[in-house]
Amino acid sequence: MQYSHWIDSHCHLDFSDFEQDLETLIDACFAEGVKGFLVPGTERRTWNKVITLSHHYDAIRYALGIHPYFLDNAKEEDLSCLSSSIDERTVAVGEIGLDAWQGMPSMERQLFYFRHQLQIAKDHGLPVILHTRKADDLVLKTLREVDFKNGGVVHAFNGSLQQAQRYLQLGFKIGIGGTITYPRAQKARTVAAALPNDSFVLETDSPDMPILGYQGQRNTPLQLLCIADVLRQLRQQEMNAIMQHSTHNLINVLPRW
């Protein structure tokens, strides 16, 4: 199947940064060929807003999850609420995962919520959107321990090619974003160039993760084309090939899309 549009596989359009001009922004994205948006939930209080956006804009799909950043405010009852909030329009559980950055909630607490959310995804037959920072080996270990086989997307991947290959073996796609626009990000650029065609998706992580030349500005899904252009150069492929692979890969790994 041939595709004629791009999909931003990870953008937080529910954030307050987009409250004033979201409709105008989506129109501008459509004009540039970005016609799909995956908005992941980050904590219980945001889920209704994410769901409402998806009902209002046909181009928006959503995931629901508890991001490790927000675990200090999470309660165990949020897990049962997550399970009951999932319906036929939910394409994944996420954004979930582990983050070993200084100042994050304890790894014990993170693992508790991560394992439970993986089980919820298994129970509902859904893939997951993974957040992992300095924790890829532990995330991979946990996926195997839970026997998670539904795959998903490793958001903002910044690991090694060997770690990427281990995720691919478990049915995941690798999220490529604004990091590759920085020449100093040699590891990320090398991995992006070496990945198989059927293994990557594109993302902006809007409004965060600014791309080179736009530091200090709000990031938006319009920047997906800049990321794609850098990836085109790194992989020495045509822009249309990048579109075909990235769009197909996302739809393939998220069967409810």
Side-chain angles (χ1 to χ4, degrees):
M1 181 176 180
Q2 290 292 303
Y3 298 95
S4 59
H5 66 282
W6 302 89
I7 298 175
D8 187 342
S9 70
H10 199 108
C11 50
H12 296 283
L13 299 182
D14 59 311
F15 282 15
S16 59
D17 304 68
F18 299 108
E19 282 183 354
Q20 301 302 315
D21 65 343
L22 182 57
E23 189 159 349
T24 300
L25 174 61
I26 289 179
D27 287 344
C29 288
F30 264 67
E32 296 296 329
V34 182
K35 299 183 178 181
F37 313 88
L38 176 56
V39 180
T42 55
E43 56 181 325
R44 179 177 175 176
R45 69 181 183 86
T46 70
W47 296 341
N48 282 338
K49 186 172 183 180
V50 169
I51 293 169
T52 299
L53 281 178
S54 179
H55 282 278
H56 189 73
Y57 296 99
D58 289 339
I60 291 178
R61 303 290 188 273
Y62 68 89
L64 299 178
I66 306 170
H67 191 299
Y69 283 0
F70 300 103
L71 289 180
D72 284 338
N73 297 323
K75 301 176 181 177
E76 286 189 34
E77 65 191 49
D78 294 350
L79 294 167
S80 57
C81 181
L82 172 60
S83 185
S84 62
S85 296
I86 291 170
D87 62 20
E88 69 279 357
R89 293 175 61 90
T90 313
V91 300
V93 171
E95 172 178 359
I96 67 173
L98 302 175
D99 193 317
W101 199 259
Q102 186 175 0
M104 292 295 293
S106 73
M107 190 53 66
E108 179 182 12
R109 184 170 177 82
Q110 290 189 47
L111 280 165
F112 174 84
Y113 280 90
F114 184 39
R115 287 175 175 274
H116 277 277
Q117 290 183 95
L118 288 174
Q119 187 60 52
I120 289 170
K122 286 180 66 174
D123 293 344
H124 288 272
L126 287 173
V128 294
I129 309 300
L130 288 180
H131 170 97
T132 170
R133 187 164 59 160
K134 296 186 177 295
D136 285 296
D137 288 339
L138 184 53
V139 168
L140 285 158
K141 178 173 182 263
T142 306
L143 289 168
R144 290 194 169 92
E145 288 174 349
V146 176
D147 193 28
F148 188 79
K149 297 179 179 179
N150 294 349
V153 176
V154 189
H155 156 57
F157 180 74
N158 198 33
S160 67
L161 182 58
Q162 291 73 23
Q163 288 169 325
Q165 291 166 340
R166 290 165 66 192
Y167 281 118
L168 298 181
Q169 291 168 2
L170 294 176
F172 284 84
K173 306 300 181 186
I174 304 301
I176 296 176
T179 300
I180 67 165
T181 65
Y182 293 88
R184 68 175 183 272
Q186 283 300 314
K187 181 173 69 171
R189 290 162 69 96
T190 299
V191 170
L195 288 171
N197 287 331
D198 63 355
S199 67
F200 66 87
V201 298
L202 294 179
E203 62 172 71
T204 63
D205 198 20
S206 304
D208 301 315
M209 201 188 297
I211 70 171
L212 181 66
Y214 294 87
Q215 299 95 318
Q217 301 180 33
R218 180 185 68 167
N219 192 16
T220 80
L222 286 170
Q223 305 298 358
L224 196 75
L225 298 178
C226 298
I227 296 166
D229 188 54
V230 173
L231 186 61
R232 172 191 67 78
Q233 298 171 51
L234 292 173
R235 296 177 66 83
Q236 298 185 333
Q237 293 177 317
E238 296 295 325
M239 198 71 156
N240 185 62
I242 300 296
M243 176 198 289
Q244 298 304 320
H245 297 318
S246 62
T247 299
H248 171 79
N249 293 341
L250 187 66
I251 292 173
N252 179 259
V253 81
L254 303 178
R256 289 192 184 181
W257 189 276

